Amino acid sequence: MDAPEIAQVDPFHAMAIGRLAYELAGEGRDVIHMEYGQPSTGAPAAAIATAHRVLDSDPGGYWESTALLDRIARHYCEAYQVDIDREQVILTCGASPAFVLALSSLFVPGARVALARPGYVAYRNSLKTLYLEPVEMACGPAERYQVTAAALDALDPAPDGLILASPANPTGTVIAPQELAAIAEVCRRKNIRVVSDEIYHGLTYEGAAQSTLQHLPDAVVVNSFSKYYSMAGWRLGWLVVPPDRVAAARARMNNLFLTPSVLAQHAGLVAMDETAELESHVRTYARNRERLLAALPSLGLERIAPPDGAFYIYADMAHLTDDSLAFCQKLLRDTGVATAPGVDFDPVDGHRFIRFSFAVSTPLVEEAIARMVPWFAACTAKSTEASV
């Protein structure tokens, strides 16, 4: 009998762009980082002050903060009017381990899990790593780059699971409440287990996003302190698990990852109540979004996904290239502006897309636009000449 093959995982090209960006910066180049989906701001000031105090007073250890568990449970009541028990909350070392816990707690190897394409590269690769089968659903402008209830219902056979993301990466699109309710109905009827990525909640510009838990109480929800709370480097997240999966998820967390950082847990608890500072970040992202949306026509980029939330613009640049990775590399080398290639998020059509992250400061967004306008104009002129 042949030995099973080791799962083949695709590279994350945006990370390679980031490495090149830091290499260029090390050579003295002025680089603007719009390739990573991470806030350029740090943790709230009060959270940092708490961390300094804890460093002097707490030796650290394997620990899960009951106060933080209670605060997260209360967050669901306050934000979504959903009651959960703190025992359903599992603290994790960021959202990435939370996905491993969720997927491995819900599905056996070989299970089929549906997801939107384009979508976050690690969804597809986490599924592959766990020997689960990604069932990618092509989502374009007609679907607002999101899974729809009709498309999910049409899958035959029905998948065992579904990954939802609202707001989504790379598009920033949000699933409308009525559509989310319809998706939940399909999942109940066809016994499809749902993993809902809600790490961009709090970062919306056209009204708040709903939690899948408002429509499907047995969904597994992934969230993180990395985005809204500006704590990406602290590696702290959480999982909300239905009662029938708590034991399985907790056993995996304890065996694979032990516990999150003590320091991060203390800081995270404080960060959750620093609303004024956090909302000031959202206002900055809103300004950045406006600046980019106004500038896109001058870049020749008029076909974009609706950026309802998160801090991304996902733009079609098929008139300029069919190799998004090479395009992003050249853009970086020529202008110092680092972006993410669409091929990360969509292995079929992403070669003609680019993703901009506007989680940097507004002056940096304006500087990036100033650098890119003449560069994109030159690319457009060359493309026009080549087609004549």
Side-chain angles (χ1 to χ4, degrees), residues 29-369:
R29 292 285 303 278
D30 183 14
V31 172
I32 300 174
H33 290 279
M34 302 178 77
E35 77 275 31
Y36 290 146
Q38 63 181 19
S40 58
T41 52
I48 293 174
T50 296
H52 281 293
R53 176 180 57 77
V54 169
L55 275 174
D56 292 331
S57 61
D58 189 336
Y62 302 132
W63 176 69
E64 188 177 51
S65 169
T66 55
L68 183 54
L69 295 173
D70 284 336
R71 182 64 186 87
I72 290 171
R74 179 159 61 89
H75 167 72
Y76 283 88
C77 182
E78 294 173 347
Y80 309 110
Q81 294 73 57
V82 170
D83 290 324
I84 62 171
D85 190 274
R86 78 175 184 197
E87 292 302 312
Q88 293 176 248
V89 181
I90 298 173
L91 299 178
T92 63
C93 310
S96 298
F99 268 102
V100 173
L101 301 183
L103 295 173
S104 64
S105 301
L106 291 177
F107 307 113
V108 299
R112 302 169 65 252
V113 181
L115 65 161
R117 178 173 57 77
Y120 180 46
V121 59
Y123 299 155
R124 183 173 66 250
N125 284 328
S126 294
L127 290 169
K128 290 179 178 180
T129 299
L130 295 168
Y131 295 93
L132 304 172
E133 181 184 346
V135 180
E136 294 191 310
M137 304 171 65
C139 302
E143 299 84 17
R144 300 185 75 255
Y145 295 89
Q146 277 284 6
V147 170
T148 65
L152 179 65
D153 203 13
L155 291 179
D156 186 19
D160 301 291
L162 171 68
I163 296 175
L164 291 177
S166 176
N169 178 8
T171 60
T173 54
V174 170
I175 301 174
Q178 63 272 22
E179 189 65 36
L180 190 57
I183 291 170
E185 189 281 323
V186 173
C187 291
R188 277 191 296 269
R189 177 161 42 86
K190 296 197 169 185
N191 196 31
I192 301 170
R193 298 301 297 251
V194 174
V195 177
S196 182
D197 179 356
E198 301 182 0
I199 68 173
Y200 294 101
H201 277 217
L203 301 175
T204 55
Y205 312 103
E206 307 291 342
Q210 288 196 339
S211 173
T212 302
L213 291 174
Q214 293 173 266
H215 303 278
L216 203 63
D218 67 347
V220 173
V221 169
V222 174
N223 211 322
S224 169
F225 284 82
S226 294
K227 311 300 182 180
Y228 178 72
Y229 299 102
S230 288
M231 295 178 65
W234 297 74
R235 308 314 304 137
L236 181 65
W238 73 85
L239 201 60
V240 178
V241 186
D244 69 322
R245 288 294 187 270
V246 169
R250 188 167 295 282
R252 284 159 174 76
M253 178 62 198
N254 295 158
N255 280 281
L256 297 177
F257 307 107
L258 297 177
T259 64
S261 155
V262 167
L263 197 64
Q265 291 182 66
H266 282 291
L269 177 61
V270 173
M272 292 193 75
D273 291 310
E274 294 303 304
T275 304
E277 185 173 345
L278 297 170
E279 286 299 310
S280 72
H281 298 165
V282 178
R283 289 192 292 273
T284 295
Y285 304 147
R287 287 194 299 271
N288 294 350
R289 173 179 176 268
E290 291 172 3
R291 301 289 199 283
L292 272 173
L293 289 176
L296 287 176
S298 61
L299 299 179
L301 302 179
E302 299 183 354
R303 298 185 301 276
I304 67 167
D308 306 317
F311 28 58
Y312 304 120
I313 299 285
Y314 192 64
D316 186 336
M317 53 174 190
H319 61 297
L320 296 177
T321 188
D322 61 358
D323 187 342
S324 59
L325 178 58
F327 187 90
C328 289
Q329 290 170 335
K330 182 168 175 54
L331 172 62
L332 172 57
R333 292 185 184 279
D334 289 354
T335 69
V337 178
T339 55
V343 72
D344 264 343
F345 312 102
D346 184 343
V348 178
D349 298 315
H351 53 277
R352 58 184 177 85
F353 282 83
I354 189 172
R355 189 197 72 179
F356 303 93
S357 170
F358 52 84
V360 297
S361 69
T362 301
L364 284 179
V365 168
E366 292 171 342
E367 173 61 22
I369 290 169

